Amino acid sequence: MSSKSKGLILIQRVLIWALYFFSGFILYSNQGILPSFLITFSRIIYPLSIFWLQIRIKKRTNFLPIDSKMTTSQLWFNLLPVISSLLTVIFSLINALLYILEKLITL
């Protein structure tokens, strides 16, 4: 890889993490725009999703390490963090976008 593409990848990752941390800041500092059960779920899983993503990125493993020899419990143990983290990302980003839109409309 060239240094230009490595620099571009670094910038993309920094922007994605900044957006995710900003959405977490809005999630914890303000009253949520989404229904309360989605906000509560997101507030509980948000720190866990950051921790889980850091482990996956550091180990450079697949996000879904599924094997045909896995038992049902092993499969759920691998699927639940992925599903909950993806839902948390979606809910926190939607909440941040709705919060920003609400602030822009009330200006």
Side-chain angles (χ1 to χ4, degrees), residues 40-77:
T40 304
F41 172 80
S42 297
R43 285 180 179 166
I44 292 170
I45 303 296
Y46 182 83
L48 299 174
S49 69
I50 293 173
F51 178 70
W52 181 82
L53 286 171
Q54 285 294 338
I55 288 173
R56 293 293 183 184
I57 290 170
K58 189 172 184 175
K59 287 185 178 181
R60 297 180 188 244
T61 59
N62 294 334
F63 281 113
L64 288 172
I66 297 175
D67 189 5
S68 62
K69 298 175 183 176
M70 291 179 135
T71 64
T72 304
S73 61
Q74 290 172 331
L75 182 65
W76 279 112
F77 184 75

Side-chain angles (χ1 to χ4, degrees), residues 9-57:
I9 290 173
L10 178 66
I11 290 171
Q12 289 174 346
R13 286 184 182 175
V14 167
L15 289 175
I16 289 170
W17 279 111
L19 177 65
Y20 193 53
F21 286 135
F22 176 71
S23 67
F25 176 75
I26 290 175
L27 184 68
Y28 284 104
S29 66
N30 298 313
Q31 189 172 0
I33 307 297
L34 296 175
S36 63
F37 69 93
L38 295 177
I39 296 298
T40 304
F41 172 80
S42 297
R43 285 180 179 166
I44 292 170
I45 303 296
Y46 182 83
L48 299 174
S49 69
I50 293 173
F51 178 70
W52 181 82
L53 286 171
Q54 285 294 338
I55 288 173
R56 293 293 183 184
I57 290 170

Side-chain angles (χ1 to χ4, degrees), residues 22 26 33 93-107:
F22 176 71
I26 290 175
I33 307 297
L93 290 176
I94 288 173
N95 187 53
L97 290 173
L98 291 175
Y99 175 79
I100 291 169
L101 285 174
E102 180 185 37
K103 293 298 180 184
L104 289 174
I105 290 172
T106 58
L107 284 179

